[in-house]
Amino acid sequence: MRSLIPCAIVFLLAACGGDEPATADPTKKTKPGAAAARENRAQRPVTRFYDEARAKKRDSGVLIDGLREGPWTEWYAEGPKLSEGSYEKDLRVGVWRWYWPSGALREEGNFVKGQRQGAWKALHDNGQKHPDGAFGDDLQQGKWSSFYPSSKLLSEGLFERGQQTVTWVEWFETGVKKSEGAYVDGAQD
Protein backbone atom coordinates (compact mmCIF):
# COMPACT_ATOMS: atom_id res chain seq x y z
CA MET A 1 0.00 0.00 0.00
CA ARG A 2 1.40 3.36 -0.91
CA SER A 3 1.92 5.95 1.77
CA LEU A 4 -0.78 8.63 1.86
CA ILE A 5 0.95 11.37 3.78
CA PRO A 6 -0.53 14.86 3.29
CA CYS A 7 1.84 17.65 2.39
CA ALA A 8 2.35 20.97 4.09
CA ILE A 9 5.04 23.53 3.41
CA VAL A 10 7.04 24.44 6.47
CA PHE A 11 9.96 26.84 6.68
CA LEU A 12 12.10 26.44 9.82
CA LEU A 13 14.60 29.22 10.21
CA ALA A 14 15.22 30.75 13.70
CA ALA A 15 14.15 30.75 17.40
CA CYS A 16 12.04 33.25 19.40
CA GLY A 17 13.29 35.73 22.03
CA GLY A 18 11.91 37.62 25.03
CA ASP A 19 11.22 41.14 26.32
CA GLU A 20 13.83 43.66 27.44
CA PRO A 21 13.43 45.44 30.80
CA ALA A 22 11.67 48.84 30.97
CA THR A 23 13.81 51.96 31.27
CA ALA A 24 13.70 53.98 34.50
CA ASP A 25 14.85 57.27 32.87
CA PRO A 26 11.73 59.43 32.18
CA THR A 27 13.72 61.74 29.84
CA LYS A 28 14.27 58.93 27.33
CA LYS A 29 11.71 58.79 24.54
CA THR A 30 11.70 54.99 24.22
CA LYS A 31 8.88 52.67 25.16
CA PRO A 32 9.47 49.97 27.78
CA GLY A 33 9.80 46.25 27.09
CA ALA A 34 9.20 44.51 23.78
CA ALA A 35 7.64 47.59 22.16
CA ALA A 36 10.93 49.53 22.51
CA ALA A 37 12.93 46.59 21.23
CA ARG A 38 10.73 46.34 18.12
CA GLU A 39 10.91 50.10 17.42
CA ASN A 40 14.70 50.23 17.86
CA ARG A 41 15.35 47.41 15.38
CA ALA A 42 15.78 47.94 11.66
CA GLN A 43 12.27 47.50 10.21
CA ARG A 44 11.32 47.69 6.61
CA PRO A 45 8.21 46.78 4.65
CA VAL A 46 9.02 44.40 1.82
CA THR A 47 7.20 43.40 -1.34
CA ARG A 48 9.04 40.99 -3.61
CA PHE A 49 8.05 40.29 -7.21
CA TYR A 50 8.23 37.42 -9.71
CA ASP A 51 9.07 39.75 -12.62
CA GLU A 52 11.33 42.70 -13.44
CA ALA A 53 8.32 44.86 -14.33
CA ARG A 54 7.21 44.45 -10.71
CA ALA A 55 3.70 43.57 -11.83
CA LYS A 56 3.44 40.12 -10.22
CA LYS A 57 3.82 40.09 -6.43
CA ARG A 58 5.56 37.09 -4.87
CA ASP A 59 5.25 37.97 -1.16
CA SER A 60 4.80 40.93 1.13
CA GLY A 61 5.36 41.71 4.80
CA VAL A 62 7.84 43.32 7.19
CA LEU A 63 11.47 42.43 7.80
CA ILE A 64 13.01 43.28 11.16
CA ASP A 65 16.77 42.85 11.25
CA GLY A 66 16.42 40.79 8.06
CA LEU A 67 13.86 38.35 9.54
CA ARG A 68 10.19 38.05 8.57
CA GLU A 69 7.98 39.44 11.35
CA GLY A 70 4.20 39.84 11.66
CA PRO A 71 1.62 39.20 8.93
CA TRP A 72 2.86 37.97 5.53
CA THR A 73 1.06 37.15 2.31
CA GLU A 74 2.35 35.09 -0.62
CA TRP A 75 0.90 34.97 -4.15
CA TYR A 76 0.99 32.54 -7.05
CA ALA A 77 2.93 33.82 -10.08
CA GLU A 78 -0.42 34.01 -11.90
CA GLY A 79 -1.72 36.51 -9.31
CA PRO A 80 -4.11 34.85 -6.81
CA LYS A 81 -3.21 34.63 -3.11
CA LEU A 82 -1.21 31.49 -2.21
CA SER A 83 -0.94 31.79 1.58
CA GLU A 84 -1.28 34.07 4.57
CA GLY A 85 -0.12 33.94 8.16
CA SER A 86 2.32 35.45 10.64
CA TYR A 87 5.98 35.12 11.50
CA GLU A 88 7.97 35.70 14.66
CA LYS A 89 11.70 35.96 13.99
CA ASP A 90 11.28 34.13 10.66
CA LEU A 91 9.29 31.22 12.17
CA ARG A 92 5.68 30.60 11.20
CA VAL A 93 3.32 31.13 14.16
CA GLY A 94 -0.44 30.98 14.66
CA VAL A 95 -2.95 29.98 12.03
CA TRP A 96 -1.71 29.74 8.45
CA ARG A 97 -3.93 29.32 5.41
CA TRP A 98 -3.08 28.21 1.86
CA TYR A 99 -5.39 28.71 -1.10
CA TRP A 100 -6.07 27.09 -4.46
CA PRO A 101 -5.54 29.39 -7.48
CA SER A 102 -9.35 29.71 -7.56
CA GLY A 103 -9.20 31.41 -4.14
CA ALA A 104 -10.81 28.47 -2.30
CA LEU A 105 -9.14 27.33 0.93
CA ARG A 106 -6.63 24.51 0.30
CA GLU A 107 -5.09 23.96 3.73
CA GLU A 108 -5.24 25.39 7.23
CA GLY A 109 -3.29 24.68 10.38
CA ASN A 110 -1.54 26.13 13.40
CA PHE A 111 2.18 26.74 13.91
CA VAL A 112 4.08 27.11 17.18
CA LYS A 113 7.67 28.36 16.74
CA GLY A 114 7.75 27.12 13.14
CA GLN A 115 6.29 23.67 13.82
CA ARG A 116 2.86 22.38 12.86
CA GLN A 117 0.76 21.77 16.01
CA GLY A 118 -2.81 20.59 16.53
CA ALA A 119 -5.66 19.99 14.12
CA TRP A 120 -4.82 20.32 10.44
CA LYS A 121 -7.22 20.30 7.56
CA ALA A 122 -6.82 20.23 3.83
CA LEU A 123 -9.45 20.55 1.15
CA HIS A 124 -9.74 19.50 -2.48
CA ASP A 125 -10.23 22.37 -4.92
CA ASN A 126 -13.98 21.64 -4.89
CA GLY A 127 -14.13 22.33 -1.11
CA GLN A 128 -14.45 18.71 0.01
CA LYS A 129 -12.05 17.65 2.76
CA HIS A 130 -8.90 15.79 1.75
CA PRO A 131 -6.57 14.65 4.54
CA ASP A 132 -7.76 15.30 8.05
CA GLY A 133 -5.68 14.84 11.21
CA ALA A 134 -3.38 16.48 13.74
CA PHE A 135 0.26 17.31 14.28
CA GLY A 136 2.45 17.28 17.38
CA ASP A 137 5.97 18.72 17.22
CA ASP A 138 5.66 19.00 13.42
CA LEU A 139 4.90 15.26 13.06
CA GLN A 140 1.61 13.64 12.10
CA GLN A 141 -0.05 12.13 15.19
CA GLY A 142 -3.12 10.01 15.83
CA LYS A 143 -5.89 9.16 13.41
CA TRP A 144 -5.65 10.50 9.86
CA SER A 145 -8.25 10.11 7.14
CA SER A 146 -7.98 10.95 3.45
CA PHE A 147 -10.95 11.54 1.17
CA TYR A 148 -11.71 11.51 -2.54
CA PRO A 149 -12.91 14.81 -4.10
CA SER A 150 -16.41 13.28 -3.92
CA SER A 151 -15.96 13.24 -0.07
CA LYS A 152 -15.93 9.43 0.06
CA LEU A 153 -13.28 7.87 2.31
CA LEU A 154 -10.00 7.02 0.55
CA SER A 155 -7.80 5.82 3.42
CA GLU A 156 -7.61 5.78 7.19
CA GLY A 157 -5.06 4.84 9.81
CA LEU A 158 -2.88 6.01 12.67
CA PHE A 159 0.35 7.98 12.82
CA GLU A 160 2.82 7.85 15.67
CA ARG A 161 5.68 10.37 15.64
CA GLY A 162 5.10 10.97 11.91
CA GLN A 163 5.17 7.28 10.95
CA GLN A 164 2.24 5.20 9.73
CA THR A 165 1.50 2.56 12.35
CA VAL A 166 -0.95 -0.25 13.11
CA THR A 167 -3.52 -1.07 10.38
CA TRP A 168 -4.19 1.21 7.43
CA VAL A 169 -7.16 0.67 5.12
CA GLU A 170 -7.66 2.06 1.63
CA TRP A 171 -10.93 2.07 -0.35
CA PHE A 172 -11.99 2.51 -3.96
CA GLU A 173 -14.25 5.51 -4.52
CA THR A 174 -17.18 3.07 -4.76
CA GLY A 175 -16.64 2.17 -1.08
CA VAL A 176 -15.17 -1.28 -1.80
CA LYS A 177 -12.05 -2.04 0.25
CA LYS A 178 -8.95 -1.77 -1.92
CA SER A 179 -6.26 -2.82 0.56
CA GLU A 180 -5.49 -3.29 4.22
CA GLY A 181 -2.06 -3.54 5.73
CA ALA A 182 -0.25 -3.36 9.02
CA TYR A 183 2.52 -0.83 9.53
CA VAL A 184 5.35 -0.89 12.05
CA ASP A 185 7.45 2.30 12.35
CA GLY A 186 6.19 3.57 8.99
CA ALA A 187 7.01 0.41 7.01
CA GLN A 188 4.38 -2.01 5.78
CA ASP A 189 4.58 -5.31 7.65
Side-chain angles (χ1 to χ4, degrees), residues 1-161:
M1 185 169 115
R2 69 179 196 269
S3 174
L4 297 169
I5 300 173
C7 296
I9 301 172
V10 179
F11 299 99
L12 300 173
L13 299 169
C16 293
D19 289 346
E20 68 178 46
T23 179
D25 185 352
T27 62
K28 291 194 177 180
K29 299 208 182 214
T30 60
K31 294 181 182 177
R38 280 191 294 277
E39 284 185 16
N40 293 331
R41 293 185 285 170
Q43 288 189 48
R44 72 181 172 95
V46 172
T47 299
R48 296 183 283 198
F49 297 87
Y50 284 105
D51 60 334
E52 286 184 34
R54 300 172 57 88
K56 297 179 180 181
K57 287 185 189 176
R58 188 178 85 191
D59 58 9
S60 181
V62 172
L63 292 177
I64 297 180
D65 294 335
L67 303 177
R68 291 173 287 190
E69 191 76 32
W72 273 74
T73 303
E74 300 170 322
W75 290 270
Y76 287 100
E78 300 79 30
K81 187 186 312 182
L82 169 65
S83 68
E84 62 186 353
S86 289
Y87 285 95
E88 284 182 8
K89 295 193 177 182
D90 231 21
L91 295 174
R92 289 178 189 228
V93 295
V95 175
W96 270 79
R97 291 178 183 90
W98 287 265
Y99 300 93
W100 290 101
S102 67
L105 183 65
R106 185 184 82 199
E107 202 168 333
E108 179 179 77
N110 190 55
F111 284 85
V112 175
K113 294 184 180 180
Q115 295 191 343
R116 294 170 289 183
Q117 291 284 11
W120 203 271
K121 76 175 182 181
L123 304 170
H124 288 283
D125 57 358
N126 67 0
Q128 296 296 325
K129 64 181 169 178
H130 187 22
D132 194 32
F135 283 90
D137 298 326
D138 209 36
L139 300 172
Q140 290 170 292
Q141 298 286 5
K143 181 179 175 182
W144 276 77
S145 303
S146 273
F147 300 87
Y148 286 100
S150 65
S151 79
K152 294 189 177 176
L153 191 60
L154 168 64
S155 68
E156 193 167 67
L158 296 175
F159 277 95
E160 188 175 309
R161 295 181 316 278

